Amino acid sequence: MAEVKVDIPIPDADSIGVSHSLTLPGSAILQELQVAVKIEHPAVEQLAVSLTSPDGATVLLHNRTVSNMVPFSPIYETQNASAQSLSTFLGKNGQGAWTLRIVDAVGGATGVFVGWGLRVNPASLLTPPPPAALPLHADSFAEISRWNAEMVISNIAVADMNGDRWDDLILLSEIDGLVSVYLANGQGQFSAPMMYDVDRPLAIATADFNRDNHLDFVTASQIPQFPVSNLVVFLANTSGGYDLTYISDIPTNVDAITVFDGNYDGYLDIVLGGEPLILIGNGDGAFQSAQVLMWNGRSLLTHGDLNRDGAEDFLILKTRGTSPNAKPYLLFGNDAREKELSLNGTPLQSFTANLHEANTNEFVVVAASDTNDSTLWLTMISGSTIESIEINAIRLPDTLLNLPIAPYDLNNDGLTDLIFPTESGISAFQRTDDPNGGLSTQLVSIASPLMAKGGKFFADGAVGLVIVTALEEVILAKAAHGAHPTPTPTYLPVPSPTPFLFLTPSQPTNTPTPLPTTPPTARTPDLNSDGIVDHLDLLILMQHWGERYP
């Protein structure tokens, strides 16, 4: 991204106008381009604004049309229409000088060219090679430990709660009103549970809500016979346990919880399914009252930065008017438009299972094609614009999958496998390039399983499975073939949610009087040559086991 504030008067009644150039130093093929312009002018219908690329191609951005925007500060991009399409610039090398020109050929009103900017995404970063599927081993997990939870388990969560690099286990019991946290030791064993009373807990999410580098958790519970839920937040304390610090009544039946920075203020927020609601976080573990995230929403299915522009995109079930029927829509965070989704020309009427994968490449869900067809489809949704959305699906055999379904990359091939219970044990479905189906493999033979989730429970890197049975038993199984090889790092672009036009220019500050110090060295840098040693912070974005984290 490059932008500049110029503050140049626009000549009145002048066919040449005013121009300014920005240089993109990197050599890469452009896949996406955004152009931001800021103009202060009382009659923008007198103006023509054009952009010229380094190879001499020119596109009209604004061609003497009326706008109510004051000041005039549009962001033209491949998703939003300019006077002429920006697609002229795509697929070409963007290196070199780009020139913006503003012409006011009509006399009678004057204005100022305040500034402009470019934001580009090169194709070499946006289109990494697709992962290649690796086979799953049949009956490849061996039981390591088993214990009786002594409660009716309604849901489970897997996360590294104490930061020791391997995952821990959280069990929820709606009937018993309990949340139990088990810490793993990396050798196939868990600590005694830390148990917390919560009224009818159904859904759970983990995150660091107060920025102390320790995971906290939030649960939601439905109040029977009323469209109201309780939301409860527990924060990690210094003794290794958790304190109830926030509780709120939510005016919807919560069917899912997810956590992300919904308003881009740097603090995590809580987003709820049901009628999609958002609770803005204060960064200290407290939250503001619930607000409607989007109107006419019935359920939030998944979210993520599908088009890598730094804004969250949403897949939701949405109603129209007073209709009780909900249909799936895709909403881009940077686009006011929306698109109803259909599979093979048939609208997707219902989703049998919601979130299974949401990353910067695609959304993956399991859906029913219509209300009269019980057949499941593994549906992959991709695309960087409303116009370019693609839906690919794999038809799943009617008897293949049982709910609940848990996503996990069991063989570290970069593709999410679907873990599900069967009558004889725990199996996994692995998608392939075959549109008519994929591969189903039984991972472990166990009687009466109810649910299972994968995780990193072992210090040697082997994949683990936590399995819950109808007998209130919890079983930990380990991949018999040991640890998977470390994947080759994939370098992804870091999306920037920074406001595009205009970055506020930094104000000059008084330079402090230099004090006698040791002359700066490579280890003690003096960044602004004021004689004072400066300190450097370093933020590295990495991938670990296929997951991005700072």
Side-chain angles (χ1 to χ4, degrees):
M1 183 177 70
E3 59 181 7
V4 62
K5 192 172 183 180
V6 294
D7 288 328
I8 303 174
I10 302 172
D12 192 27
D14 185 337
S15 60
I16 298 178
V18 61
S19 62
H20 188 271
S21 296
L22 283 176
T23 298
L24 296 181
S27 177
I29 303 301
L30 300 187
Q31 179 161 307
E32 293 183 3
L33 172 69
Q34 296 176 342
V35 187
V37 181
K38 188 171 184 179
I39 299 171
E40 292 180 354
H41 198 286
V44 295
E45 63 271 16
Q46 299 179 2
L47 305 181
V49 182
S50 62
L51 178 67
T52 301
S53 64
D55 65 358
T58 298
V59 165
L60 268 175
L61 304 177
H62 172 82
N63 191 21
R64 300 178 182 177
T65 56
V66 177
S67 173
N68 296 323
M69 188 182 298
V70 179
F72 185 59
S73 52
I75 298 180
Y76 301 106
E77 51 191 305
T78 52
Q79 293 94 325
N80 294 341
S82 48
Q84 295 177 338
S85 174
L86 292 179
S87 61
T88 301
F89 300 133
L90 303 184
K92 300 179 181 179
N93 194 328
Q95 185 177 29
W98 293 73
T99 302
L100 189 85
R101 181 179 300 277
I102 303 174
V103 174
D104 181 359
V106 180
T110 60
V112 175
F113 174 19
V114 179
W116 74 293
L118 291 171
R119 178 154 51 189
V120 300
N121 285 325
S124 57
L125 291 180
L126 284 179
T127 54
L134 297 176
L136 296 175
H137 300 279
D139 289 318
S140 55
F141 284 79
E143 181 178 327
I144 299 298
S145 60
R146 178 191 298 241
W147 73 94
N148 194 301
E150 299 182 353
M151 66 180 188
V152 180
I153 302 171
S154 54
N155 203 349
I156 60 178
V158 171
D160 181 7
M161 301 301 294
N162 57 353
D164 60 1
R165 296 177 300 167
W166 40 81
D167 288 329
D168 306 305
L169 176 64
I170 305 178
L171 304 181
L172 276 66
S173 176
E174 178 187 1
I175 293 177
D176 298 294
L178 287 175
V179 175
S180 299
V181 181
Y182 294 80
L183 300 180
N185 65 359
Q187 304 302 321
Q189 298 174 335
F190 289 88
S191 67
M194 295 179 284
M195 307 182 76
Y196 302 92
D197 293 327
V198 177
D199 184 25
R200 303 180 66 86
L202 291 174
I204 185 170
T206 60
D208 181 9
F209 293 117
N210 58 347
R211 302 179 297 161
D212 63 353
N213 295 321
H214 295 285
L215 278 186
D216 315 304
F217 66 89
V218 54
T219 68
S221 57
Q222 180 179 338
I223 299 178
Q225 301 178 347
F226 294 97
V228 179
S229 302
N230 284 332
L231 189 77
V232 182
V233 176
F234 285 82
L235 297 183
N237 56 37
T238 55
S239 62
Y242 299 87
D243 297 324
L244 194 160
T245 59
Y246 180 84
I247 185 169
S248 177
D249 290 336
I250 305 299
T252 187
N253 290 330
V254 175
D255 56 16
I257 302 179
T258 186
V259 177
F260 58 90
D261 184 4
N263 62 343
Y264 308 107
D265 63 354
Y267 305 144
L268 290 177
D269 310 312
I270 298 175
V271 179
L272 306 174
E275 179 186 10
L277 302 174
I278 183 170
L279 285 80
I280 303 298
N282 300 330
D284 58 359
F287 297 84
Q288 303 175 25
S289 299
Q291 308 171 32
V292 175
L293 180 65
M294 54 195 70
W295 295 105
N296 293 328
R298 288 287 298 276
S299 183
L300 173 65
L301 298 177
T302 185
H303 70 93
D305 189 1
L306 194 66
N307 54 353
R308 291 196 184 105
D309 63 351
E312 291 291 320
D313 308 314
F314 302 96
L315 179 63
I316 67 167
L317 292 180
K318 189 174 181 181
T319 59
R320 284 296 189 187
T322 58
S323 171
N325 297 323
K327 298 180 179 180
Y329 282 81
L330 186 62
L331 289 77
F332 278 120
N334 65 346
D335 197 330
R337 295 175 296 165
E338 60 190 26
K339 182 170 182 175
E340 181 182 348
L341 300 181
S342 61
L343 178 61
N344 299 331
T346 303
L348 296 172
Q349 297 293 334
S350 63
F351 282 74
T352 355
N354 52 4
L355 171 61
H356 286 303
E357 183 178 6
N359 55 33
T360 54
N361 297 318
E362 61 185 359
F363 289 160
V364 178
V365 295
V366 173
S369 58
D370 60 58
T371 55
N372 298 320
D373 185 358
S374 61
T375 300
L376 297 177
W377 296 81
L378 182 67
T379 306
M380 286 78 74
I381 303 167
S382 61
S384 59
T385 68
I386 287 291
E387 292 79 11
S388 66
I389 291 174
E390 294 183 359
I391 302 177
N392 299 308
I394 296 174
R395 186 183 180 96
L396 306 178
D398 294 346
T399 59
L400 179 62
L401 297 179
N402 297 317
L403 298 178
I405 305 170
Y408 198 79
D409 183 1
L410 291 166
N411 54 3
N412 206 31
D413 61 359
L415 295 172
T416 298
D417 307 303
L418 302 182
I419 305 170
F420 58 94
T422 67
E423 293 181 357
S424 58
I426 300 297
S427 293
F429 177 81
Q430 179 186 36
R431 58 174 165 147
T432 64
D433 295 332
D434 183 0
N436 296 315
L439 303 176
S440 179
T441 304
Q442 179 163 289
L443 303 176
V444 60
S445 299
I446 290 178
S448 305
L450 292 179
M451 64 188 78
K453 284 195 174 182
K456 307 177 186 73
F457 300 105
F458 301 100
D460 62 4
V463 173
L465 282 177
V466 167
I467 305 165
V468 174
T469 73
L471 302 177
E472 302 179 10
E473 290 181 320
V474 181
I475 299 171
L476 178 63
K478 181 179 181 180
H481 48 274
H484 293 297
T486 303
T488 302
T490 301
Y491 298 98
L492 297 175
V494 181
S496 172
T498 307
F500 188 31
L501 200 77
F502 227 76
L503 293 179
T504 304
S506 58
Q507 300 298 322
T509 58
N510 295 327
T511 302
T513 302
L515 298 175
T517 62
T518 304
T521 65
R523 291 192 173 187
T524 56
D526 179 8
L527 297 178
N528 57 353
S529 302
D530 62 357
I532 296 178
V533 172
D534 300 307
H535 297 277
L536 299 179
D537 293 331
L538 182 62
L539 176 66
I540 303 176
L541 293 178
M542 306 178 68
Q543 275 200 329
H544 180 66
W545 295 101
E547 300 173 0
R548 294 179 59 195
Y549 67 98

